[in-house]
Amino acid sequence: GPKPQLASNRTVEDIPAVRPCCAVHLMQPRRGDRAETKLAPPPSAVMVLLSGGVAGCLAKTFTAPLSRLTILSQTSSLLAGPGGGASIATGLKNIVRQGGLRALWRGNALTCLHRFPSSSISFGVVDCCWQLCPECSRCSSGLLPGAVAGCVSTALCYPIEVARTRCMARDGTRPHESVARTWQVEGLRGVYR
């Protein structure tokens, strides 16, 4: 069949490779039965950052009960059932029994406080890598931008992760109290431990 034509009468094959986040094709009817393919413009930097942050927060909110269960299983015997056996269902029931349904999401606000900048930074760094060094990004199949984004995001947001984990592991500890206690006792090394 005929190749889709772009507005400038070039075919899709004439377009150089486009970074993945911008390769959104919109099919629009044209005279006759032919279709026109247009590439959507790349999103603005603000939209990339906001999209990353919101996506990260939503994902973490949906999985918050399992994250809380994981942390508690690593730091306490909350999961232990009769006879010492452990299961996810037993752990979730014990959390709800001891703290109510809201206890499943304890620490989620701090998780989102960590995840929003972390995901935003990751999305932003990946986008910058694709813009600044498209050949390196393409040759590495996106591995290089992802690796750089992970390193930058982790280095900048790790202190929030430490506070979040300590807050979720200790019942009744508020985030600012956890950060202050860690800073007073251990200093800068404590928040990167």
Side-chain angles (χ1 to χ4, degrees):
K3 295 178 183 175
Q5 295 289 316
L6 299 175
S8 63
N9 292 327
R10 294 185 339 186
T11 64
V12 174
E13 287 81 17
D14 295 334
I15 299 176
V18 180
R19 55 195 177 104
C21 67
C22 294
V24 178
H25 296 282
L26 303 172
M27 299 300 286
Q28 297 180 347
R30 197 173 166 188
R31 280 185 277 173
D33 291 329
R34 303 173 96 184
E36 181 179 337
T37 303
K38 292 183 179 180
L39 294 178
S44 70
V46 172
M47 285 306 296
V48 169
L49 296 176
L50 286 175
S51 299
V54 169
C57 288
L58 285 174
K60 281 299 188 177
T61 298
F62 284 120
T63 60
L66 295 177
S67 295
R68 175 125 167 92
L69 187 63
T70 300
I71 289 174
L72 291 175
S73 70
Q74 294 169 351
T75 59
S76 71
S77 60
L78 185 68
L79 289 179
S87 72
I88 293 173
T90 302
L92 292 173
K93 286 177 189 174
N94 287 340
I95 291 171
V96 171
R97 187 172 13 93
Q98 291 180 5
L101 196 58
R102 287 186 62 189
L104 292 173
W105 281 271
R106 180 175 292 141
N108 189 54
L110 195 54
T111 298
C112 289
L113 182 67
H114 167 263
R115 185 54 53 185
F116 193 90
S118 176
S119 296
S120 295
I121 290 168
S122 293
F123 273 56
V125 170
V126 165
D127 200 52
C128 284
C129 286
W130 277 103
Q131 288 178 11
L132 296 175
C133 189
E135 288 303 315
C136 292
S137 299
R138 196 173 300 116
C139 290
S140 69
S141 298
L143 180 65
L144 180 64
V148 171
C151 291
V152 171
S153 170
T154 300
L156 294 176
C157 297
Y158 192 73
I160 301 171
E161 176 67 17
V162 170
R164 179 188 77 88
T165 303
R166 291 181 180 190
C167 179
M168 287 177 71
R170 298 178 185 144
D171 288 332
T173 303
R174 294 192 173 137
H176 67 280
E177 293 171 351
S178 180
V179 172
R181 183 180 307 133
T182 302
W183 186 263
Q184 288 172 347
V185 174
E186 303 175 46
L188 182 62
R189 288 182 65 193
V191 294
Y192 277 97
R193 188 160 66 102

